Amino acid sequence: MRIRIGAFALVAPMLIGLALSATAFAQPLDAAEMAAVGQYGQRAAPLTVFERAGVLRIDGQGRKDAKLTPLGRNRYRIEGGGELVLEPVAVRLDGARLPRHDFGAEVEAGVRAAVRADPDALRARALAARPPVETDPHRPADLVDLSTLDPTLRLDIRYAGSDNFMGLPLYERPAAYLQRPAALALARAAQALKAKGYGLLVHDAYRPWFVTWMFWEATPPEDHMFVADPAQGSRHNRGCAVDLTLYDLKTGKPVEMPSRYDEMSGRSYADFIGGTTRQRAMRSLLREAMVAQGFEIYPEEWWHFDYKDWRHYGIGTKTFSELAAAR
């Protein structure tokens, strides 16, 4: 796991304190400019085009949060020197063409192609594997069904269907559980957000250990920072991690964030500079509500939060069928 706590700590106070005013969301850009928001070039060192307060800016390729000033005909002067030209599926940075990429989608396509080779064999190997032996004492598991806590807590359990980075169902039923202290903290966060017009949409919570094993096996080694090492067990396995986003209580629609859920790219990082002003503000609102209730930020994934007491619980292996049968 690659943790960049130091880098994140420098920007977190500014992000969490971001005001959610109407002016903060202003985007007086035309359609072509808004469509240009994204990443270009090489995944290892991309150029990020983003919007802040109605102005296009770039970051990367030797530029740091540089403002773009329109020159006409899709040409822009770069703050600090140089020129950027917008094209339909690329940009030209000082004459060099950088193609647009959705790096997360490209990684996902590779993972799904590998899994499709023999998903049944992968699952069988995972179910036959054994979790690490833990010798430290732990609190007894007390998993709470999140659907029983608050009517504004909605579930969209991606691993119970095929709309996930693996491309196949991993849970037998759509459900979400957390250890009782974490579940009650989540309910308090939901109540705080309700007053601001938003609800919590949960994508994942407790995760059986065998699924963590499958994630690790299916994910390319260079992207292992996005999945937990089964040799250590994950906070999801302990029932103290939750993946979630916001939705608008009036419309019922999920808000836009700087990346998709479970996207394996730099856009998923909690301190990613890109996207739009509104997307970053929504990310900040979610983070502020969760941190206030004792959840910790995971630097590589804006949607992932760990409850502070996760170390006190052991690795869980019960499947969703077993949890349902026990109730």
Side-chain angles (χ1 to χ4, degrees):
M1 181 189 303
R2 185 178 67 196
I3 302 294
R4 302 179 302 130
I5 294 294
F8 178 72
L10 295 176
V11 299
M14 177 186 72
L15 292 171
I16 293 177
L18 184 62
L20 300 179
S21 65
T23 55
F25 298 156
Q27 298 174 1
L29 302 177
D30 63 30
E33 289 175 319
M34 288 304 296
V37 171
Q39 292 193 300
Y40 301 82
Q42 300 297 316
R43 188 182 183 210
L47 177 74
T48 298
V49 178
F50 63 102
E51 175 270 333
R52 181 189 301 142
V55 176
L56 281 183
R57 308 180 75 91
I58 62 171
D59 192 82
Q61 295 286 313
R63 272 72 174 189
K64 182 66 176 177
D65 192 4
K67 179 181 178 180
L68 300 182
T69 301
L71 297 174
R73 304 178 72 86
N74 294 327
R75 293 171 54 242
Y76 296 82
R77 182 174 65 251
I78 302 171
E79 180 181 17
E83 182 177 285
L84 187 84
V85 179
L86 301 183
E87 297 182 352
V89 292
V91 297
R92 289 194 181 273
L93 178 62
D94 295 332
R97 186 177 187 274
L98 304 177
R100 184 183 181 108
H101 283 278
D102 185 335
F103 297 113
E106 293 167 10
V107 173
E108 180 179 285
V111 170
R112 288 186 173 197
V115 170
R116 278 196 298 269
D118 198 342
D120 293 338
L122 180 65
R123 180 182 289 271
R125 288 168 57 210
L127 290 170
R130 292 290 178 266
V133 176
E134 298 184 296
T135 57
D136 292 338
H138 291 111
R139 295 176 185 171
D142 184 14
L143 292 171
V144 174
D145 184 344
L146 299 186
S147 67
T148 66
L149 293 179
D150 188 294
T152 66
L153 267 174
R154 286 174 42 191
L155 304 185
D156 176 21
I157 308 303
R158 297 293 183 85
Y159 301 128
S162 58
D163 185 14
N164 57 65
F165 79 98
M166 297 275 282
L168 75 161
L170 297 156
Y171 300 162
E172 309 92 88
R173 53 190 295 271
Y177 302 90
L178 283 177
Q179 302 293 354
R180 188 169 298 277
L184 296 177
L186 188 67
R188 292 194 296 271
Q191 283 296 309
L193 285 163
K194 185 189 301 184
K196 299 179 180 180
Y198 294 96
L200 289 172
L201 181 63
V202 176
H203 291 312
D204 195 28
Y206 165 75
R207 180 184 301 158
W209 180 83
F210 84 91
V211 176
T212 295
W213 190 96
M214 292 179 72
F215 285 177
W216 186 262
E217 287 294 303
T219 301
E222 62 269 23
D223 294 304
H224 272 171
M225 81 282 288
F226 294 107
V227 292
D229 184 349
Q232 305 298 321
S234 78
R235 290 99 189 258
H236 280 290
N237 300 154
R238 301 174 192 277
C240 284
V242 60
D243 293 348
L244 75 177
T245 189
L246 299 174
Y247 73 93
D248 188 303
L249 288 175
K250 289 183 179 179
T251 66
K253 295 180 179 179
V255 307
E256 287 190 5
M257 292 290 190
S259 84
R260 298 180 298 275
Y261 168 62
D262 245 5
E263 179 176 326
M264 294 186 185
S265 83
R267 299 198 315 167
S268 296
Y269 285 17
D271 62 353
F272 175 59
I273 197 171
T276 67
T277 301
R278 183 179 181 87
Q279 290 169 354
R280 293 188 300 274
M282 291 294 99
R283 183 181 66 186
S284 181
L285 178 62
L286 173 63
R287 178 161 52 225
E288 186 176 25
M290 295 296 286
V291 170
Q293 299 302 332
F295 287 90
E296 300 168 351
I297 297 162
Y298 184 64
E300 274 72 29
E301 298 173 347
W302 60 260
W303 58 80
H304 177 117
F305 294 90
D306 298 314
Y307 191 63
K308 61 183 180 179
D309 290 346
W310 66 266
R311 296 172 182 83
H312 298 304
Y313 294 91
I315 294 171
T317 59
K318 289 186 181 298
T319 66
F320 280 74
S321 295
E322 291 171 332
L323 288 174
R327 296 181 184 278

